[in-house]
Amino acid sequence: ERKALRNGNGTITAYFANGNKSFECTFENGFVNGSWKEYYLNGAIYREENYEFGDYEGVQKHFYADGKPMAVLNFKAGDEHLEQRYYHENGQLKRVQNWIWGEMDGESLHYDTNGQQIRREVYHDGYQTFDSGIIVPAAQPTTPPKTTKPAKK
């Protein structure tokens, strides 16, 4: 369905065969401007984004089919520092990444499904400068086995 998409202005809405909305976006002067939404086949929201004349602007949210957040990505034209958060299906934080001027920069922290940090990476100007590898929880200290001295004769 197209509504008044004349001269590059208007809203486009698409539907799945079952009648549920597939996506909806608004154009202004030929550019996506404003809201862009995509949906799962069952009608649940999959992704919400905002655009300013074709460029991501503001918070972009992705969701699992059950409505829990999958990712929260921040975009701001001309902004130097942005943070992106990704989530496991159980809602626990999965990864946090930092960006400066469009390049990964700073820490990228990874977490397991229980929320425990399992990896730390560091980036500078888009290049990885450090990788901790998979962090394994510290083993419990062990007591060395007792040795017995041979019996004196």
Side-chain angles (χ1 to χ4, degrees), residues 2-11 27-30:
R2 294 180 185 190
K3 295 181 182 176
L5 192 58
R6 295 182 186 188
N7 299 321
N9 297 314
T11 301
F27 284 84
E28 189 172 332
N29 296 322

Side-chain angles (χ1 to χ4, degrees), residues 110-130:
H110 301 253
Y111 301 89
D112 66 18
T113 56
N114 295 315
Q116 297 297 311
Q117 184 181 332
I118 58 170
R119 187 178 206 131
R120 177 177 175 260
E121 301 167 334
V122 178
Y123 291 82
H124 181 70
D125 291 336
Y127 294 97
Q128 189 174 17
T129 60
F130 175 79

Side-chain angles (χ1 to χ4, degrees), residues 44-117:
I45 189 78
Y46 165 66
R47 175 166 92 174
E48 292 180 306
E49 301 173 348
N50 289 296
Y51 287 84
E52 191 169 291
F53 295 103
D55 291 324
Y56 290 125
E57 180 65 31
V59 178
Q60 182 184 105
K61 296 178 183 178
H62 295 224
F63 300 92
Y64 289 105
D66 65 2
K68 290 181 184 171
M70 182 188 303
V72 177
L73 316 170
N74 292 297
F75 292 94
K76 178 90 174 133
D79 197 350
E80 91 180 48
H81 183 264
L82 304 170
E83 181 183 84
Q84 298 182 347
R85 292 178 171 260
Y86 299 85
Y87 297 88
H88 290 284
E89 288 187 61
N90 68 0
Q92 288 287 337
L93 187 61
K94 182 177 187 177
R95 183 173 70 237
V96 178
Q97 295 177 322
N98 292 287
W99 296 74
I100 296 180
W101 299 116
E103 301 281 349
M104 284 187 65
D105 202 286
E107 290 187 322
S108 176
L109 304 174
H110 301 253
Y111 301 89
D112 66 18
T113 56
N114 295 315
Q116 297 297 311
Q117 184 181 332

